[in-house]
Amino acid sequence: MTLLRFLPALISALLFVGFANQYSTIAAGGVIEASWPWLPTLGVELAFRLDGLSLLFALLITGIGAIILSYAADYFKTDPRRDRLQILMGLFALSMLGLVLADDAISLFLFWEGTTLTSFLLVGFDHHRDVARRNAVQALIITGLGGLALLIGLITMHQITGTWRLSEWNALGFTEHAAYPLILLAVLVGCFTKSAQFPFHYWLPNAMAAPTPVSAYLHSATMVKAGIYLMLRLNPALGGSDLWMTALISCGAITMTLGALWALRQTDLKLMMAYTTVMALGALTLLIGLGSDKALMAAIVFILVHALYKAALFLSVGMMDKQVGTRDLRKIHGMGRRMPIAWACAALGALSMAGIPPLLGFLGKELIYAATLGHSWWVSVIALAANVMMVMTALAVAWGPFTGSPSHDSAKPISVAIWWGSLLMGLLALTLGSLPSLIDTRLIAPILSAVTGREQSLHLSLWHGINGPLLMSLLTYALGFAMYRLMPRIRATLADIEARYGEMDQLYQWKLDSLHRLAAATTRQLQNGRMTFYLRVTFGVMSLTLWAALLNGALALPPTALALSWVDIIVGLLAMVGTWVVVRTESRLIAISALGIVGATVSIVFVMFGAIDVAMTQLLVDTLMVVFIAVALVRLPRVKLERITNRIAGVIAITLGAGVTLAMLAVLTVPIDLTLSNYFGQNSLTQALGRNVVNVILVDFRAMDTLGEISVVVIAALAAIAALKSKPEVKDF
């Protein structure tokens, strides 16, 4: 039973092996596709496509997933909630895996929303804590709204092309279409919210309310990169335009700077790591926006770099928390000898984050500088500043807690299951950085081909001679090491700025509170407990809507509208007399009886037009209603009914009645579409074995609707019975 807790990790590892087996096919330029019909009439399929880009993400999701699930199995070894956490993480991984493999837009969207829902449950895993519930709802609101925007973009692209396949969209392109700005806006809102780009970035650090294994998984390989993945996936279809470049470069640059700067502000190591993720996501967005082959190659390499060092660092922070019981930088120092494994893991991750050779981070940083130098000076300056701050943050993580005098006398021991994954990620960063030829033509080139839509060949190496990127790297190290000593002062300055001007999270809270106040005020106005008020509002709105449609449309009346027979006049007078009695009587019983007269006249109208079955239904319903209400009235206290004298109610009734009459007369001038009538007439007997078309429609063709209606009536009846049988609560005084 003890080893069963590692079963999710084993499944993820087997999936990793399965995807790794496709490596040679993808490296040779191949693509693996599979599809099954889902909604054939709508052209929707359960379609999947494995190319270089999706293979990279699939390997990260399953590989890092196996490590983190193994970590979580031991981290929560004695926690009774462990199974729930592993199930949620498994569902999350499955959603993310489906997202990166889907080639059908509807399938992609469902998996996209799957990550939204499961991440909400994971962030709010410690639901007994207010902050966990609050931050989970925040993540759900922001990413959920982004998902709705994305759906608009996907549907629009389908309307233009007639296909849901992403691969076909990439072949067609949308940059010249008139709807391109709308599509781009909708897709980018979805991607920016998911990948925490400015001004939606604040939800990601708040998601640190989740347990450490969840944070490591969210940040290193999965959800936060979903938006990055989609921007890369749709780059051939949407990329390359001025709008694309402006939006991505500006938002990426702001996000990159904010993330790096605010990482320096933090004293909680986990929060510090979260803000470095924001910086990395901003850098990736900026690189995708630059759009050149160099920039896209830098983005792809940096995805791998970030996944490896971020997983290693998050797991290292979890180790520190486990061993000394705190993540606060100010409370941990000098623990290198007591936590050598945690130090080694943190050091490898931090060195890669700082871009120190020969780790893979150095290669990623060099590629970023090479891409930005080819664009403009200000982008290069922002990249330099962000990387300097990353060097400072790396020193804060890997140097501060482990050097100096020990802050704790001892540290709790940790098991192999806790540290092996972090160490492996660090060593992998070292190996791939030292031997980049292992991945350049076999992994990076197929991904670059998938992203650019063209065959690509490339060569990665650590040494390119003395050039611009190398000089910028040397400047980065010099500034980063020099400014590390200023970190306490910088942190204090940023804290002062935060206290004085607030942050985006406070703006979110203000907007949410304003919405709550508006909802409460609206409820107070509309839900005042008076039925007459509800009816007045409902019919008033209906009347306004109806008259707006009548006045804006071409109202036409049939020439025989006023050609009434004496029978029509008598039936109309009966209905008006019944209505007048309802309005004027002071007796409830007389009022309900008069209302029955109005219902009977409606039945007569149905008879006059040959709808005998409808007339019978109307008469039975009306009779039952009168009987039931009369029986109920017997049980109610006898009170004198006030005459209806409200002029506003009268105006609303007359206006609505006149509007309905004109609308009904206008309908007579429109040719009747008999498509459905003919269909039901032709198929009632042959398909449903019924000669009464109305009955067949109710119980066969729209059986689910009828079942729903009956369910509503039954539920309402049960609620009414419960309400009638309930007794008033007696309070003790």
Side-chain angles (χ1 to χ4, degrees), residues 541-619:
V541 172
M542 190 187 301
S543 177
L544 288 174
T545 307
L546 183 60
W547 274 100
L550 290 171
L551 295 175
N552 286 325
L555 182 62
L557 299 178
T560 58
L562 298 178
L564 301 175
S565 67
W566 62 270
V567 177
D568 298 334
I569 295 171
I570 290 174
V571 172
L573 286 175
L574 275 174
M576 285 190 284
V577 169
T579 306
W580 184 83
V581 172
V582 172
V583 172
R584 303 298 298 173
T585 186
E586 297 178 352
S587 166
R588 286 172 171 167
L589 197 57
I590 293 175
I592 193 62
S593 300
L595 197 59
I597 294 174
V598 177
T601 58
V602 175
S603 301
I604 294 172
V605 171
F606 285 133
V607 172
M608 291 165 60
F609 286 92
I612 303 299
D613 50 351
V614 181
M616 289 293 293
T617 305
Q618 166 69 26
L619 191 59

Side-chain angles (χ1 to χ4, degrees), residues 357-380:
L359 283 97
L360 192 59
F362 171 74
L363 201 60
K365 181 169 55 56
E366 291 277 293
L367 290 172
I368 291 174
Y369 283 148
T372 55
L373 283 172
H375 185 265
S376 59
W377 66 268
W378 67 269
V379 174
S380 300

Side-chain angles (χ1 to χ4, degrees), residues 68 174 244 261 271 297 301 336-337 356 371 376 443 458 482 528 537 575 601-602:
I68 293 177
F174 296 92
W244 171 272
L261 193 61
L271 267 179
M297 181 172 66
V301 173
R337 291 187 178 179
I356 305 295
S376 59
L443 183 62
L458 55 91
N528 56 15
V537 171
T601 58
V602 175

Side-chain angles (χ1 to χ4, degrees), residues 542-719:
M542 190 187 301
S543 177
L544 288 174
T545 307
L546 183 60
W547 274 100
L550 290 171
L551 295 175
N552 286 325
L555 182 62
L557 299 178
T560 58
L562 298 178
L564 301 175
S565 67
W566 62 270
V567 177
D568 298 334
I569 295 171
I570 290 174
V571 172
L573 286 175
L574 275 174
M576 285 190 284
V577 169
T579 306
W580 184 83
V581 172
V582 172
V583 172
R584 303 298 298 173
T585 186
E586 297 178 352
S587 166
R588 286 172 171 167
L589 197 57
I590 293 175
I592 193 62
S593 300
L595 197 59
I597 294 174
V598 177
T601 58
V602 175
S603 301
I604 294 172
V605 171
F606 285 133
V607 172
M608 291 165 60
F609 286 92
I612 303 299
D613 50 351
V614 181
M616 289 293 293
T617 305
Q618 166 69 26
L619 191 59
L620 287 173
V621 170
D622 197 65
T623 303
L624 287 172
M625 183 193 71
V626 171
V627 171
F628 286 156
I629 294 180
V631 170
L633 289 178
V634 172
R635 298 173 63 89
L636 293 175
R638 295 183 178 181
V639 295
K640 189 176 180 180
L641 196 65
E642 293 183 5
R643 291 181 178 179
I644 300 174
T645 56
N646 190 302
R647 292 180 180 178
I648 297 177
V651 170
I652 291 174
I654 293 171
T655 307
L656 181 59
V660 171
T661 303
L662 286 175
M664 292 297 102
L665 290 172
V667 167
L668 296 176
T669 64
V670 179
I672 300 176
D673 185 354
L674 296 176
T675 305
L676 285 177
S677 301
N678 293 334
Y679 173 82
F680 290 133
Q682 293 166 4
N683 294 285
S684 292
L685 183 60
T686 57
Q687 292 191 19
L689 306 179
R691 295 183 184 280
N692 187 314
V693 176
V694 175
N695 289 347
V696 169
I697 291 172
L698 289 175
V699 301
D700 287 288
F701 290 120
R702 58 184 295 271
M704 290 304 294
D705 290 347
T706 305
L707 179 62
E709 292 165 0
I710 293 172
S711 302
V712 170
V713 171
V714 171
I715 292 170
L718 291 174

Side-chain angles (χ1 to χ4, degrees), residues 374-390:
H375 185 265
S376 59
W377 66 268
W378 67 269
V379 174
S380 300
V381 170
I382 288 176
L384 176 67
N387 278 320
V388 168
M389 288 186 272
M390 284 299 97

Side-chain angles (χ1 to χ4, degrees), residues 136-421:
V137 170
Q138 183 186 63
L140 181 67
I141 290 174
I142 295 174
T143 57
L145 291 175
L148 290 178
L150 174 64
L151 183 61
I152 294 172
L154 297 179
I155 291 175
T156 308
M157 286 190 276
H158 167 70
Q159 293 293 322
I160 294 171
T161 60
T163 177
W164 292 107
R165 289 293 190 103
L166 305 182
S167 53
E168 294 178 19
W169 289 354
N170 283 336
L172 295 170
F174 296 92
T175 53
E176 301 299 325
H177 197 277
Y180 175 69
L182 170 66
I183 295 171
L184 187 62
L185 177 66
V187 171
L188 288 187
V189 169
C191 294
F192 283 5
T193 52
K194 203 72 160 181
S195 286
Q197 295 299 296
F198 177 83
F200 310 108
H201 61 284
Y202 50 88
W203 74 263
L204 194 147
N206 288 342
M208 289 301 100
T212 297
V214 174
S215 302
Y217 203 24
L218 284 174
H219 285 245
S220 59
T222 52
M223 179 181 172
V224 296
K225 291 204 177 75
I228 299 296
Y229 165 79
L230 192 58
M231 284 189 279
L232 285 170
R233 173 60 70 201
L234 294 178
N235 179 65
L238 302 176
S241 69
D242 290 341
L243 275 177
W244 171 272
M245 294 178 66
T246 304
L248 268 65
I249 291 173
S250 56
C251 286
I254 295 171
T255 308
M256 188 177 179
T257 309
L258 277 179
L261 193 61
W262 235 242
L264 302 179
R265 155 73 181 89
Q266 309 306 320
T267 54
D268 184 325
L269 285 168
K270 204 171 161 187
L271 267 179
M272 186 178 278
M273 289 300 99
Y275 276 103
T276 59
T277 299
V278 174
M279 174 271 167
L281 295 173
L284 288 169
T285 302
L286 183 144
L287 291 169
I288 298 169
L290 293 178
S292 63
D293 288 355
K294 274 187 180 178
L296 292 174
M297 181 172 66
I300 293 164
V301 173
F302 193 55
I303 287 172
L304 184 59
V305 170
H306 178 257
L308 294 179
Y309 80 65
K310 191 48 62 74
L313 285 174
F314 258 118
L315 298 183
S316 303
V317 170
M319 279 186 245
M320 286 187 245
D321 194 11
K322 198 86 174 171
Q323 290 187 276
V324 297
T326 180
R327 306 187 303 256
D328 195 326
L329 269 176
R330 297 164 298 185
K331 298 177 181 175
I332 313 175
H333 46 80
M335 297 303 291
R337 291 187 178 179
R338 289 173 173 79
M339 300 188 298
I341 296 176
W343 192 9
C345 297
L348 285 171
L351 288 172
S352 188
M353 183 168 77
I356 305 295
L359 283 97
L360 192 59
F362 171 74
L363 201 60
K365 181 169 55 56
E366 291 277 293
L367 290 172
I368 291 174
Y369 283 148
T372 55
L373 283 172
H375 185 265
S376 59
W377 66 268
W378 67 269
V379 174
S380 300
V381 170
I382 288 176
L384 176 67
N387 278 320
V388 168
M389 288 186 272
M390 284 299 97
V391 172
M392 297 166 67
T393 307
L395 286 170
V397 174
W399 185 258
F402 300 102
T403 57
S405 57
S407 56
H408 296 71
D409 295 333
S410 62
K412 293 180 182 176
I414 51 172
S415 67
V416 176
I418 291 285
W419 58 260
W420 76 270

